[in-house]
Amino acid sequence: MSPIWKTAVLAFLVASSISIARCEEVIRRASDGRYLVDLNGVTVALPDEDPKDQQTGFYVASPPGKSPFHFYLNDLLRDPERLASRLISAEWVSVTVGSSTNHPREIGVSVVKGVNRASILAGVDTNCEAWQADWARYRKVAVGLPADEYGWTRQDQARSPYGSMFIKFLDAGGREQSRYYPVHCDFAGGCSLWACHDGLTQRITFYSSNKPKGEDYSVKEFDRQIASGKTVLERLLLNRSVDLSHP
């Protein structure tokens, strides 16, 4: 073999070994068979899923002005060399389990009625940061509002985006120093609770009513749905605590 071909082969083998090593850094297997995927330093545990019912999707940051790059867990397993590099180099990356119509059953946790999605985002979450001022404004108003029998205050939005913001203070004592949950429900009855702390965003979504048919939000179910959604996040996250509260 000529020196040129030897050099080419050596370069290929080195590149291949680096590629394999990088893939192994991103995707591993847990003792229970779940895939351990690294998201910007945050490890999530994901089981196999049916190719005909894919509900585990990733979003990776793209250049400004373009939609985030999207792929499924099965795509990552089929083409780890190409997609693992996306996960490694991204400014932020997220994974979502569940769909708009089905419970996030593929992660192996039973959930209560209505809970349909759980998400983890690792990295700089500019969307969550942009919401901080709105949450603080709703919280300030909620301090002076009466709570319902379940402990929630309500503020309806008369302008777009139509919906309602529900605030629940979590600590005993004065509301001014209490942590709180801000649950936003849209005009169709879909609700969400999310928070970003130290480069990690955690989010759950659930359906509370069929607003188009005139049903009001089922506030009495919020606490059960939130607790159920948190079990999904706890199943997803390894060695990280789940915290959906706001200071």
Side-chain angles (χ1 to χ4, degrees), residues 25-28 35-46 58 87 93-95 119-123 197-202 233 236-241:
E25 289 176 6
V26 175
I27 310 169
R28 294 171 287 120
Y35 292 98
L36 302 181
V37 181
D38 182 82
L39 307 182
N40 229 328
V42 176
T43 303
V44 294
L46 306 166
F58 296 87
L87 295 178
V93 58
S94 71
V95 61
S119 303
I120 300 293
L121 185 149
H197 304 290
D198 302 321
L200 177 65
T201 299
Q202 305 170 39
L233 293 174
L236 277 176
L237 280 170
L238 290 189
N239 305 318
R240 299 292 289 266
S241 60

Side-chain angles (χ1 to χ4, degrees), residues 9-73:
V9 170
L10 179 61
F12 174 78
L13 292 175
V14 170
S16 297
S17 63
I18 293 175
S19 178
I20 292 171
R22 293 183 72 189
C23 291
E24 290 179 345
E25 289 176 6
V26 175
I27 310 169
R28 294 171 287 120
R29 294 299 289 267
S31 58
D32 63 5
R34 289 182 296 168
Y35 292 98
L36 302 181
V37 181
D38 182 82
L39 307 182
N40 229 328
V42 176
T43 303
V44 294
L46 306 166
D48 290 305
E49 62 178 353
D50 185 346
K52 297 180 180 179
D53 186 24
Q54 299 188 104
Q55 296 187 44
T56 303
F58 296 87
Y59 284 92
V60 178
S62 297
K66 292 187 177 181
S67 299
F69 181 71
H70 177 258
F71 56 92
Y72 290 101
L73 174 61

Side-chain angles (χ1 to χ4, degrees), residues 24-227:
E24 290 179 345
E25 289 176 6
V26 175
I27 310 169
R28 294 171 287 120
R29 294 299 289 267
S31 58
D32 63 5
R34 289 182 296 168
Y35 292 98
L36 302 181
V37 181
D38 182 82
L39 307 182
N40 229 328
V42 176
T43 303
V44 294
L46 306 166
D48 290 305
E49 62 178 353
D50 185 346
K52 297 180 180 179
D53 186 24
Q54 299 188 104
Q55 296 187 44
T56 303
F58 296 87
Y59 284 92
V60 178
S62 297
K66 292 187 177 181
S67 299
F69 181 71
H70 177 258
F71 56 92
Y72 290 101
L73 174 61
N74 286 333
D75 298 323
L76 177 62
L77 299 178
R78 280 193 298 265
D79 192 2
E81 292 185 16
R82 179 174 67 91
L83 296 177
S85 64
R86 291 261 193 170
L87 295 178
I88 292 172
S89 61
E91 180 182 0
W92 63 260
V93 58
S94 71
V95 61
T96 297
V97 298
S99 70
S100 61
T101 57
N102 296 309
H103 296 306
R105 60 185 182 277
E106 75 280 2
I107 56 108
V109 177
S110 297
V111 295
V112 302
K113 182 179 180 181
V115 177
N116 68 309
R117 233 177 228 175
S119 303
I120 300 293
L121 185 149
V124 180
D125 189 350
T126 56
N127 188 30
C128 186
E129 293 297 333
W131 267 87
Q132 298 291 347
D134 290 317
W135 285 321
R137 177 168 52 86
Y138 283 112
R139 180 196 185 282
K140 184 176 181 180
V141 174
V143 167
L145 295 178
D148 64 16
E149 60 184 302
Y150 309 107
W152 293 91
T153 66
R154 178 173 180 168
Q155 299 173 58
D156 295 322
Q157 299 166 295
R159 295 180 296 177
S160 179
Y162 299 102
S164 297
M165 179 67 76
F166 297 87
I167 300 290
K168 184 169 190 174
F169 295 98
L170 304 175
D171 302 321
R175 289 180 169 184
E176 289 79 3
Q177 290 76 41
S178 176
R179 296 168 304 124
Y180 67 101
Y181 281 155
V183 171
H184 179 261
C185 297
D186 63 28
F187 68 93
C191 303
S192 64
L193 170 61
W194 47 309
C196 43
H197 304 290
D198 302 321
L200 177 65
T201 299
Q202 305 170 39
R203 181 171 186 159
I204 58 173
T205 64
F206 51 92
Y207 277 101
S208 179
S209 71
N210 192 334
K211 290 292 286 187
K213 291 188 176 181
E215 298 177 12
D216 199 7
Y217 306 112
S218 184
V219 182
K220 66 179 181 179
E221 301 295 335
F222 280 5
D223 289 311
R224 289 181 64 245
Q225 290 170 322
I226 291 170

